[in-house]
Amino acid sequence: MSTQEVISSPIITLDDVSFSYDMGKTNTIKNVSFDIPEKQVTAFIGPSGCGKSTLLRCFNRMNDLIETAKVTSGKIEIMGQDINAPTVDAIELRKQVGMVFQKYNPFPKSIFENVAYGLRIQGIKNKSDLATAVEKSLRGAALWDEVKDRLNSSALGLSGGQQQRLCIARTIAVQPKVILMDEPCSALDPIATAKVEELINELREQFSIVIVTHSMQQASRISDRTAFFYLGELIEYSDTTDLFSAPKEKRTEDYISGRFG
Amino acid sequence: MSKQSRSSDSDSQRSFSKKGRSTLLGISKDSWIQKFFGGNALLAIVFLLAICGFLIKEAVFFFPDYHKSLQLFRQSGQEYVTLLEDQYKAQKSAYALVDQAYNIERANAGAAELEKITAFATARNKVLDFAEEAYDEWDDANDELEDAQDEFDDAEEADKASAQATLEAAQTLEKNLRTAWKADVSAAVLQQSSLSEDVKDALRQMQPDQGMSPFQMELQKAVDAKVAEFAISRNALRDSVKPLEKLWLELRDVAAAAKDKGVTLKTAAERKAAYLEAVQNAPTPEARQKAQEQADAVILAAPDWDKEVAPLYEATPRANEISKNLLQAIATAKENLPDPATLTDSLAQERLKQATPELVKAREVVTARTETLNQWRHDEKVGFFKSVTGFFLGADWVTNSSWQDFYGFLPLFTGSLLISIVALCIAVPFSVAAAIYTNQLASKGEATFIKPTIEFIQAIPSVVLGLFGILILGESLRDGAEFLGIPMQERLNVLNAGILLALMAVPTVFTLAEDAINNVPSAFRDASFALGATKFQTVLRVIVPTAISGIIAAILLGFGRVIGETMVVLLVAGNKISIPDFSDGLGVLTQPVHTMTGLIAQETGEVNQGSLHWRALFMVALVLFMISLTVNYISQTLIRRYSLKG
Ligand SMILES: Nc1ncnc2c1ncn2[C@@H]1O[C@H](COP(=O)(O)OP(=O)(O)O)[C@@H](O)[C@H]1O
Ligand SMILES: [Mg+2]
C-alpha cells in the first residue's frame, strides 16, 4: 500500500481487512486498509475479478448469505462501529447502508410499492406518510415527473434506465447514510447512463456513495476519490484527479493507460 | 438455427462423397432420431384425441338412451307410483323418529321393571336347567295322563272302570312328579341368593305347564302403562300409513307389468327375426312348429299405454282420499304426541324434537305429491333436457334396479370434490410451507434430506396407502374422534380418504411449488435483503407473491392428481352413493361417500357393453376427463405466463 492519507471525516474505515469465500483457505481480499470519506463519491476500479464487488458487499454484509464466506482478518467500521461485531444486526446495518445492483432489479410490483417496500418492512402503514416518502424519493431519484401518472402500474413496464433509477429511489426511501453501487450503469445505454451519473452527482450532497465501475471515464467524471484494486489488493488510493493524472504505482499507470484489464 | 444449417452442410458434403452413413428409406439415422422425438409430441396429441374420441363415442348415446328410459318411466305409470312412494317414505321417516323416541322412552321409564324381567328370565333359565330331569319325568307322566284321559273318554261302558283306575293312577303320578319338580325348583331358587324376594316367590310359584309367568306379565303391563299415552299416538301414526302402503304396492305391480312390456318391446323385432330364422333352419317339423309359435308370441306392436295405466287414473280418487286422511293423521299426531319436555330420557326428547320438522316435511310432501298426482299425464312427453339435468343434477345413482335405474352424477361429483378439497386443505399448507422452507430457509444439508424424502412418498403404491387407511388410519381416526367426543360411525369416510390423498398430493404440490419458488430470480431476494428485510419478510412479501401463479398452478395440478386418484378412494372412501349431509357441519367429513373414479372402477367390470349403465359410466369418465383436462390446461397456462414474466 503506497497511498495513505488521512481523511478528516471518514464514514467507513478499513483496517487490514481480508476476506475469504472458502472459510479462509484463499483470501479474495487481502489486507486492505483505507478510509472512505463522508458525503463524497468514492470509486472502486480494477480489472474484472479483482474483488471490487466482494469488498462492496462486505460493507452491507450481503456476503452473510454465502455460508462459507467470512472476513478473515481486520476490521470494518462504519460510522465508528465495527460492523462485524457480534452485537451488530445485519438487518439494521442494511437500513443504514443501501445498495444498488449491477442489473436493475425492481420487484414485480407497482412503481409505488417498489419505493414503499423498504418503509413497509419497517412497519410503516400510514398511507399519507408512505405517499409523501415515495414522492420525495422519486423526486430525489429524478424520476417523479416521468412516473407520477402511473404509480400503480408495474415497475417492469419502465425502460431500463428508469428501472435503475427506480432502484435508486427505492434505496434512498429508507434514508441510508451510505449507498453502495455496483456497476449501476453497466446494463444501460449511454443516455440512461448520463442520467444516472447526473443523479449520482446530486445525491453526493446527502449520501456517502461508494461506486464500483468498470469504466475509468465514469470514475473520473463522477468520483471524488478513487481506489484501484488488483488481485484483491489495494494498489493505490487517492483523489480521483491525482490518480488519473499522476498515478504513483506502475500497475495503476498500466491499467489506466489500458495496457491490461 | 446456425447449428442446424451447419449440420445440413456437412450432410450434403457426405452425400456428395457417396460413401455416407446408413440411411433408411432415403432418410439418415439422425433425422430418424430427430423425427422420433419430434413425433412424440404429435403422438401425445393423437393419443389425447383418440382417448377423447373413444370416451365420446361410448358416452354419446347416453342422453338419448336415458331420455327414452325416463320416457318409459312416465308412460308405464312408474312415475305416478313414485308419487305415492314419496308420500309413504316421508311419513315413514317421521314415524321412525317417533318410534325411536317411544322405544327409548319406554326402556328408560320402565327401566326398573325391565331390569326385574331380565333378572327373572335369567334366573328362570338357570332354575329350569337345574330341574330338567324332574321336568322330563313330569312331562312323561303328563303325556301318560293325557293318553289315559283319552282312553277313558273313548272307553266302552264295560271298560270304564279299569280305564278310570288307570286314569286315577296317572293323575296321582302326575301330581307327585309335579310336586317333585316344584321341590327341585325351590331348591334351585335357594341357590340364587342374589335375587329379590318377589322374584324368588314368582319362581317358586311357577308351574311346569305354564307359559309366561303372571309375574312377568304384570311387569310388562306396568312398563306399558308408563308410556300408555305415548303408545296411543305412536300407534295411530304407525297405522295411518297402512292404506297408502297398500295402494302403493298394488299400483306398483300394475306399473311394473306395464314397464316390462315396454322393455321387451325394445328387443321384440330382434327376437322375432331370430325365431323366424329358426323356423327356416328347423331340422324337424316339430321344431319348426315350436319356433313358429315362439315367433308368433312376440308382440311387435307397442303396448296400449292408455289401457295399461288406466288402473292408475281409476285409483286417483282413492289416492286423494288416502292422502287426505294421512294429512289428518299427521296433524292429529302432532297434537297428541307428548311434549318432549315430559319425557324422562334426553335422547328420547331429542328424537321426538327431531320428529316435529320431519312431520312438517311429511305434510308438505304429501300435499305437493298429491297435487302433482292429480295433474299427472302418462302421455305427456318428457323433455330431452330432462335427461341432461337428470344426469348432472340427479341425486340418485341407482343401477340394476327391478324398478327403475337412475343415473344421477351429483353424489359422485360431490364425493370426489369433497375428498379432493379436504385433501388439498391438508396438503397445500404443508407442501407449500415445506417448499418455502427447503428453498429459502433450510441449510443445504436439510434441503438434500427433505426433498428426496418428500418425493419418496410418490413411490408408495396407492393400494398400500389404501390398506393403511383401512387398517390403521380408520381405527386411529375413530379413536381420536371418540376422544374428542365426535361421533364417527364409519371408519371409511371422507376424512380418511382425504388424509391419504393429501399424502399423495404433497409430492406433486411440493415439487412444483418448490420449482416455482426456485424460479424467482435471486436478484429480488438480494434487493429485499439489501433494503434491510428479514428472511421472513423477504419470503412473505417478495418471493411468495412473485411465485404465486406458479404455486397456484402447483395446487391445481395437485387437485388434478387427487380428483383422478382411484385406488385409495375405492378402498377408503366408504363407497356410499349419496350426497353427503352438509347440514352436519364438519361432521360431513365423517360420512362415507363414493367418487367418480371409484364408481367407474367398481362398476365397469360388471355391466353389459353398450347398455345404458355402460354409457352412463362412460359419461362419468368423460366428465372426469374434461375436469382434469381443464385443470391441467389452466395450470399450464399459469406456469407459462409466470415463467415468461420471471
Ligand atoms: N459467491 C462467490 N463464491 C465464491 N467466489 C466468488 C463469489 N463471488 C465472486 N467470487 C470470486 O471472487 C473473486 C472476486 O470477484 P468479484 O468481487 O465479483 O470481482 P469484481 O467485482 O472485481 O469483478 C473472483 O475470483 C470471483 O470468482
Ligand atoms: Mg463486480
Side-chain angles (χ1 to χ4, degrees):
Chain A
M1 175 86 115
S2 60
T3 30
Q4 183 61 294
E5 304 154 43
V6 178
I7 285 168
S8 55
S9 59
I11 184 129
I12 304 177
T13 50
L14 292 96
D15 182 15
D16 191 36
V17 174
S18 298
F19 174 87
S20 166
Y21 276 116
D22 49 14
M23 301 304 291
K25 271 184 228 133
T26 53
N27 279 344
T28 305
I29 304 291
K30 294 162 194 157
N31 307 93
V32 171
S33 305
F34 67 108
D35 291 350
I36 293 173
E38 194 179 7
K39 296 207 173 150
Q40 289 189 18
V41 178
T42 306
F44 287 4
I45 61 168
S48 158
C50 68
K52 306 179 295 288
S53 303
T54 304
L55 184 59
L56 201 69
R57 293 163 74 90
C58 285
F59 297 160
N60 64 347
R61 284 180 51 182
M62 279 300 270
N63 290 322
D64 286 12
L65 302 176
I66 301 164
E67 271 174 64
T68 55
K70 67 169 190 187
V71 173
T72 49
S73 80
K75 198 156 99 176
I76 304 173
E77 280 184 5
I78 296 182
M79 295 182 290
Q81 260 198 68
D82 177 1
I83 61 163
N84 290 309
T87 51
V88 169
D89 182 1
I91 308 285
E92 289 307 315
L93 172 69
R94 290 180 196 138
K95 287 175 189 163
Q96 298 299 323
V97 184
M99 185 166 214
V100 176
F101 296 81
Q102 188 167 355
K103 176 79 173 76
Y104 43 84
N105 57 355
F107 300 123
K109 298 173 185 283
S110 70
I111 293 169
F112 184 94
E113 283 307 322
N114 260 282
V115 183
Y117 182 83
L119 302 168
R120 282 202 194 277
I121 58 174
Q122 291 182 23
I124 296 168
K125 290 202 182 78
N126 184 304
K127 281 239 168 65
S128 67
D129 285 357
L130 285 174
T132 320
V134 167
E135 178 174 346
K136 193 168 157 237
S137 310
L138 284 170
R139 280 190 195 283
L143 195 59
W144 175 251
D145 292 330
E146 290 161 59
V147 300
K148 62 171 186 259
D149 301 324
R150 46 171 170 154
L151 289 176
N152 289 321
S153 51
S154 170
L156 305 183
L158 297 173
S159 74
Q162 287 173 323
Q163 290 196 29
Q164 189 61 301
R165 278 182 283 143
L166 180 66
C167 291
I168 294 173
R170 180 174 70 182
T171 305
I172 63 181
V174 286
Q175 296 289 325
K177 290 284 177 301
V178 181
I179 301 178
L180 311 172
M181 297 186 177
D182 190 350
E183 303 194 33
C185 302
S186 65
L188 304 181
D189 61 56
I191 296 172
T193 300
K195 277 196 176 157
V196 171
E197 284 180 9
E198 204 177 301
L199 173 60
I200 291 172
N201 221 359
E202 281 165 25
L203 292 175
R204 64 168 16 112
E205 316 219 318
Q206 287 179 60
F207 305 96
S208 311
I209 296 171
V210 185
I211 180 168
V212 171
T213 172
H214 210 70
S215 135
M216 281 163 285
Q217 288 82 352
Q218 185 172 55
S220 59
R221 276 197 301 270
I222 59 173
S223 71
D224 302 296
R225 293 182 66 81
T226 299
F228 171 61
F229 293 88
Y230 185 67
L231 296 179
E233 287 175 50
L234 177 64
I235 305 300
E236 188 166 349
Y237 177 52
S238 62
D239 276 351
T240 302
T241 39
D242 295 347
L243 189 124
F244 282 105
S245 57
K248 295 194 181 84
E249 289 284 318
K250 174 89 172 53
R251 278 174 295 186
T252 315
E253 197 185 338
D254 287 351
Y255 180 70
I256 59 180
S257 58
R259 245 167 275 168
F260 70 90
Chain B
M1 202 44 198
S2 65
K3 223 185 225 169
Q4 244 175 9
S5 59
R6 210 178 305 145
S7 79
S8 68
D9 266 349
S10 65
D11 268 1
S12 61
Q13 272 169 25
R14 284 223 178 78
S15 66
F16 186 66
S17 74
K18 281 239 164 169
K19 266 182 196 154
R21 0 187 251 227
S22 58
T23 60
L24 187 59
L25 299 173
I27 300 168
S28 76
K29 205 158 80 188
D30 280 7
S31 345
W32 270 115
I33 292 170
Q34 194 184 346
K35 284 206 166 66
F36 172 76
F37 285 113
N40 276 349
L42 192 71
L43 204 67
I45 293 173
V46 170
F47 215 74
L48 220 67
L49 287 178
I51 290 178
C52 237
F54 160 71
L55 285 177
I56 291 171
K57 176 181 155 280
E58 296 296 340
V60 71
F61 289 112
F62 169 72
F63 288 124
D65 282 5
Y66 193 32
H67 177 245
K68 270 185 214 142
S69 164
L70 292 176
Q71 181 76 55
L72 184 59
F73 181 65
R74 174 170 293 173
Q75 253 171 351
S76 64
Q78 284 181 305
E79 193 178 45
Y80 180 100
V81 178
T82 314
L83 294 172
L84 297 177
E85 186 184 353
D86 286 353
Q87 301 178 37
Y88 171 76
K89 286 195 170 152
Q91 198 274 358
K92 265 286 193 197
S93 71
Y95 166 71
L97 287 167
V98 173
D99 188 44
Q100 276 178 33
Y102 169 79
N103 283 317
I104 297 167
E105 176 64 14
R106 183 175 178 274
N108 191 52
E113 287 82 357
L114 288 169
E115 204 175 305
K116 203 163 259 184
I117 290 174
T118 317
F120 174 80
T122 325
R124 181 172 175 269
N125 284 342
K126 281 190 192 150
V127 168
L128 290 184
D129 269 358
F130 181 85
E132 196 175 354
E133 234 166 86
Y135 178 85
D136 287 345
E137 276 169 29
W138 168 82
D139 200 32
D140 289 347
N142 195 39
D143 286 349
E144 263 168 48
L145 173 60
E146 273 166 22
D147 289 350
Q149 183 74 52
D150 288 349
E151 220 155 281
F152 173 77
D153 289 346
D154 298 345
E156 304 288 320
E157 207 54 46
D159 301 331
K160 222 30 175 207
S162 87
Q164 168 120 33
T166 321
L167 178 61
E168 271 163 20
Q171 275 169 340
T172 319
L173 182 61
E174 190 272 340
K175 205 170 167 196
N176 289 342
L177 285 174
R178 179 186 292 258
T179 316
W181 178 79
K182 290 199 66 155
D184 273 8
V185 166
S186 297
V189 169
L190 280 181
Q191 290 176 9
Q192 305 279 320
S193 53
S194 63
L195 294 177
S196 61
E197 276 314 310
D198 53 348
V199 174
K200 281 187 187 164
D201 275 348
L203 285 171
R204 282 196 207 97
Q205 276 160 26
M206 282 194 306
Q207 297 295 337
D209 47 2
Q210 187 180 48
M212 196 187 248
S213 146
F215 176 71
Q216 214 170 336
M217 285 194 277
E218 283 303 317
L219 285 172
Q220 290 283 12
K221 260 189 217 155
V223 174
D224 287 335
K226 300 216 163 148
V227 284
E229 214 169 309
F230 195 172
I232 294 170
S233 50
R234 167 214 177 234
N235 292 347
L237 194 61
R238 181 188 64 197
D239 296 340
S240 69
V241 83
K242 290 205 166 138
L244 178 60
E245 186 178 9
K246 188 161 164 281
L247 181 66
W248 163 47
L249 292 175
E250 196 180 306
L251 297 183
R252 197 184 148 97
D253 291 343
V254 173
K259 178 181 175 162
D260 272 350
K261 288 184 191 166
V263 171
T264 45
L265 178 68
K266 272 195 220 157
T267 56
E270 222 171 278
R271 277 180 296 132
K272 188 157 199 134
Y275 286 133
L276 287 175
E277 201 182 310
V279 171
Q280 298 288 316
N281 301 338
T284 60
E286 293 84 50
R288 171 173 313 209
Q289 174 79 23
K290 200 172 164 229
Q292 186 65 52
E293 274 168 20
Q294 280 171 323
D296 292 342
V298 177
I299 302 159
L300 280 184
D304 179 358
W305 293 117
D306 294 344
K307 211 175 101 202
E308 296 293 338
V309 300
L312 304 186
Y313 290 112
E314 278 159 27
T316 304
R318 224 174 104 208
N320 281 333
E321 184 66 24
I322 288 172
S323 299
K324 210 177 89 193
N325 291 342
L326 193 58
L327 285 176
Q328 185 61 47
I330 292 173
T332 319
K334 274 182 69 187
E335 228 158 79
N336 291 355
L337 280 172
D339 179 357
T342 62
L343 297 188
T344 61
D345 186 282
S346 62
L347 186 59
Q349 289 182 353
E350 199 181 309
R351 290 285 176 276
L352 196 54
K353 271 185 207 150
Q354 287 167 348
T356 315
E358 284 294 310
L359 282 170
V360 173
K361 212 165 95 190
R363 208 171 52 188
E364 280 164 10
V365 170
V366 171
T367 316
R369 294 296 182 279
T370 307
E371 201 174 306
T372 318
L373 193 120
N374 281 301
Q375 285 156 8
W376 179 84
R377 294 292 316 163
H378 74 286
D379 44 10
E380 198 179 311
K381 286 270 166 286
V382 175
F384 183 77
F385 206 58
K386 193 82 193 288
S387 65
V388 180
T389 53
F391 176 76
F392 284 107
L393 304 176
D396 300 304
W397 181 277
V398 182
T399 58
N400 297 327
S401 162
S402 57
W403 176 244
Q404 166 74 13
D405 287 357
F406 289 104
Y407 300 100
F409 170 71
L410 212 50
L412 310 173
F413 181 68
T414 35
S416 283
L417 199 66
L418 191 61
I419 290 182
S420 304
I421 288 172
V422 169
L424 287 186
C425 284
I426 300 168
V428 166
F430 181 76
S431 29
V432 171
I436 292 171
Y437 182 79
T438 27
N439 193 276
Q440 292 293 320
L441 307 172
S443 68
K444 263 217 178 85
E446 277 177 303
T448 48
F449 170 74
I450 295 173
K451 270 215 270 192
T453 309
I454 290 183
E455 277 156 16
F456 177 76
I457 299 174
Q458 244 161 353
I460 306 173
S462 54
V463 70
V464 173
L465 278 182
L467 292 178
F468 172 79
I470 293 174
L471 294 175
I472 296 166
L473 190 57
E475 287 301 332
S476 341
L477 282 178
R478 182 138 71 179
D479 292 349
E482 204 169 294
F483 181 74
L484 295 173
I486 306 163
M488 186 181 274
Q489 262 130 27
E490 305 284 341
R491 262 181 324 127
L492 305 181
N493 55 34
V494 173
L495 187 61
N496 195 340
I499 291 175
L500 292 175
L501 285 191
L503 207 58
M504 302 189 74
V506 161
T508 310
V509 181
F510 168 79
T511 309
L512 291 164
E514 213 257 345
D515 271 359
I517 291 166
N518 201 33
N519 279 345
V520 174
S522 63
F524 294 155
R525 198 177 64 142
D526 288 351
S528 172
F529 282 136
L531 287 164
T534 60
K535 270 191 171 182
F536 195 67
Q537 287 171 326
T538 305
V539 165
L540 281 192
R541 287 168 185 262
V542 176
I543 302 205
V544 171
T546 310
I548 195 70
S549 50
I551 292 174
I552 291 173
I555 295 171
L556 282 176
L557 282 175
F559 177 76
R561 172 97 179 77
V562 294
I563 205 162
E565 201 333 288
T566 308
M567 188 47 84
V568 165
V569 290
L570 190 59
L571 291 175
V572 180
N575 298 354
K576 179 173 174 235
I577 310 180
S578 68
I579 298 177
D581 179 11
F582 287 96
S583 67
D584 219 7
L586 274 184
V588 74
L589 300 184
T590 65
Q591 294 172 15
V593 295
H594 214 325
T595 54
M596 297 186 272
T597 49
L599 184 96
I600 294 170
Q602 192 179 23
E603 293 190 349
T604 310
E606 53 199 47
V607 302
N608 291 331
Q609 194 166 346
S611 66
L612 181 58
H613 187 180
W614 164 272
R615 294 197 195 294
L617 291 175
F618 270 87
M619 199 67 212
V620 175
L622 185 65
V623 175
L624 176 65
F625 185 58
M626 290 300 157
I627 293 174
S628 299
L629 220 58
T630 315
V631 166
N632 266 281
Y633 177 75
I634 296 174
S635 47
Q636 298 291 352
T637 316
L638 278 175
I639 287 176
R640 211 172 320 127
R641 206 180 64 190
Y642 126 93
S643 53
L644 280 183
K645 213 159 91 189

